[in-house]
């Protein structure tokens, strides 16, 4: 099989490529990435062809997609705060970028597309757990752009009879997630602060909850979806129904590290949702026996991976 991963030099994309290289069914792996937030280091020593460029460039996509069996579209500008600072940039990369990818898929008759939406689309809807049929109530430009991602993908499936799988990821974490930029996600921020002996900085009271999902669980589901060409007529949550508060997360990290951590509370951030937890019924129907890691296993793997790198940086 030939598989193209947009955003392949990013956190989830690179982890997916690391999973796919071990699969004997994979003949050719291509990453498309403009390296805006991703890193070449993530692909070191992997037998993957990197096309460095934006998904907003049809020529780059044409060079990548010819003869592809599946496109996994992960390329996007992540982060709610980034989108509040620069909503147009998030819209272009995430909404227009998805349409560009889908149009390239159509030009090249790629039989299967997987796209990444986000739990942030549930936004202000207070109902838990998040069942896919709930009304989306996005509260940030990022969430709107992800709603566009999944809606464009499902519309393409309907209009052009394309096999599409639109996932809503929740809070994915693990090795290769960037820790040192202004919009870094909470797990790498906490782990890197803990490893250099700084306090963990918690926005708000820390009782907000998230469905943290280890990246290995996410990539094993996606790899299975690629091989079995899984599609679905509606979006699918890719998380397992955990509900962990930030204070629980810090406690688990303390347990992994075997020592207490200092905490500093900062004001809550606008655009953040209070609670998040997936209903995973639909996921389990499509993927009855996923390779699933616990939060603790994931945190341990993240700490192990970041330890060397944090020590090198400081
Ligand atoms: P990431 O920032 O590590 O990876 C995104 C990659 O896309 C980066 O390598 C970046 O350079 C690339 N990219 C950005 N704009 C691009 C463009 N215009 N053209 C080509 N490449 C571009 O983020 P991630 O956490 O790996 O996220 C992957 C996908 O999953 C994104 O679509 C994101 O919205 C979605 N998602 C992630 C999470 C999470 O918890 N990490 C949660 C929900 C949804």
């Amino acid at each position: 099989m030939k598989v193209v991963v947009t955003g392949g030099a990013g956190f989830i994309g690179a982890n997916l490529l690391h999973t796919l290289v071990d699969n004997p069914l994979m003949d050719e792996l291509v990453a498309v990435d403009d390296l805006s937030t991703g890193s070449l280091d993530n692909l070191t020593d992997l037998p993957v062809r990197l096309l460095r460029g934006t998904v907003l460039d049809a020529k780059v996509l044409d060079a990548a997609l010819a003869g592809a069996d599946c496109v996994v579209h992960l390329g996007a500008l992540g982060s709610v705060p980034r989108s509040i600072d620069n909503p147009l940039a998030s819209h272009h990369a995430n909404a227009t970028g998805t349409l560009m990818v889908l149009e390239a898929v159509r030009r090249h008759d790629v039989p299967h597309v997987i796209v990444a939406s986000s739990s942030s689309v549930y936004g202000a809807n207070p109902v838990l757990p998040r069942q896919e049929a709930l009304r989306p109530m996005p509260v940030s430009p990022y969430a709107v752009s992800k709603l566009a991602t999944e809606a464009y993908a499902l519309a393409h499936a309907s209009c052009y009879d394309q096999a599409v799988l639109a996932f809503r990821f929740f809070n994915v974490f693990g090795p290769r997630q960037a820790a040192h930029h202004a919009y870094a996600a909470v797990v790498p921020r906490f782990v890197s602060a803990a490893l250099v002996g700084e306090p963990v900085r918690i926005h708000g009271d820390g009782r907000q909850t998230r469905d943290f999902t280890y990246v290995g669980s996410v990539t094993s589901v996606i790899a299975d979806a690629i091989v079995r060409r899984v599609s679905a007529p509606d979006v699918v949550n890719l998380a397992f129904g955990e509900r962990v508060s930030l204070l629980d997360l810090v406690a688990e990290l303390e347990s992994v590290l075997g020592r207490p951590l200092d905490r500093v509370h900062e004001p809550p951030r606008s655009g953040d949702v209070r609670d998040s937890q997936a209903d995973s019924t639909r996921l389990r129907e499509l993927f009855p026996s996923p390779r699933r890691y616990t939060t603790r296993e994931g945190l341990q793997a993240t700490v192990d991976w970041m330890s060397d790198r944090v020590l090198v940086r400081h």
Side-chain angles (χ1 to χ4, degrees):
M1 296 181 82
K2 173 178 175 180
V3 176
V4 179
V5 180
T6 72
F11 159 51
I12 300 173
N15 277 287
L16 176 62
L17 287 162
H18 277 263
T19 301
L20 293 178
V21 291
D22 292 331
N23 188 321
L25 294 174
M26 300 300 140
D27 303 309
E28 188 179 353
L29 296 170
V30 178
V32 176
D33 203 299
D34 67 357
L35 300 183
S36 51
T37 61
S39 159
L40 284 178
D41 290 348
N42 284 335
L43 299 177
T44 305
D45 295 335
L46 275 193
V48 169
R49 183 160 66 101
L50 170 67
L51 287 171
R52 187 174 175 168
T54 171
V55 293
L56 294 165
D57 183 343
K59 290 196 189 71
V60 170
L61 292 173
D62 284 340
L65 266 59
D69 298 290
C70 181
V71 175
V72 184
H73 175 44
L74 303 174
L77 285 178
S79 159
V80 164
R82 183 202 308 274
S83 77
I84 293 173
D85 291 345
N86 192 344
L88 268 178
S90 295
H91 176 87
H92 288 317
N94 304 357
T96 310
T98 297
L99 192 53
M100 293 292 291
V101 169
L102 292 166
E103 282 296 89
V105 160
R106 202 153 70 92
R107 281 196 299 282
H108 293 278
D109 288 324
V110 181
H112 188 207
V113 191
I114 299 172
V115 302
S117 180
S118 157
S119 60
S120 62
V121 302
Y122 295 109
N125 193 317
V127 180
L128 288 177
R130 307 306 209 172
Q131 207 276 332
E132 290 91 341
L134 288 174
R135 184 163 78 88
M137 296 175 65
V139 290
S140 67
Y142 171 72
V144 174
S145 73
K146 289 279 114 179
L147 194 55
T149 295
E150 63 182 48
Y152 271 132
L154 294 172
H156 260 240
S158 162
C159 297
Y160 308 113
D161 197 22
Q162 217 155 51
V164 163
L165 186 56
F167 280 124
R168 285 181 181 160
F169 297 165
F170 281 60
N171 282 69
V172 188
F173 72 97
R176 302 187 180 85
Q177 192 166 24
H180 300 288
H181 62 73
Y183 302 117
V186 62
V187 173
R189 276 198 298 110
F190 282 8
V191 173
S192 103
L195 288 174
V196 297
E198 289 172 1
V200 295
R201 298 185 175 279
I202 301 171
H203 292 284
D205 63 8
R207 295 185 197 287
Q208 63 269 48
T209 57
R210 296 289 181 268
D211 199 336
F212 291 104
T213 321
Y214 181 59
V215 69
S217 308
V218 171
T219 61
S220 70
V221 167
I222 299 175
D224 187 23
I226 294 170
V227 170
R228 292 193 293 120
R229 198 176 285 180
V230 178
S231 62
D234 205 345
V235 284
V236 180
N237 290 333
L238 206 180
F240 299 95
E242 303 275 333
R243 192 170 169 200
V244 176
S245 73
L246 294 196
L247 296 180
D248 296 335
L249 183 73
V250 173
E252 193 74 63
L253 186 53
E254 289 177 329
S255 160
V256 166
L257 294 170
R259 58 184 165 83
L261 299 172
D262 292 331
R263 301 128 194 246
V264 172
H265 287 267
E266 298 185 333
R269 294 189 313 194
S270 74
D272 270 354
V273 301
R274 179 73 188 168
D275 293 300
S276 185
Q277 178 191 24
D279 180 315
S280 54
T281 312
R282 207 175 270 180
L283 180 77
R284 287 168 206 278
E285 281 165 14
L286 291 169
F287 303 92
S289 49
R291 173 72 175 98
R292 187 180 162 187
Y293 298 80
T294 62
T295 307
R296 191 188 171 89
E297 285 175 307
L299 271 183
Q300 183 70 61
T302 309
V303 166
D304 291 346
W305 188 83
M306 279 182 80
S307 293
D308 306 339
R309 285 147 189 94
V310 167
L311 294 177
V312 167
R313 272 181 71 88
H314 283 262

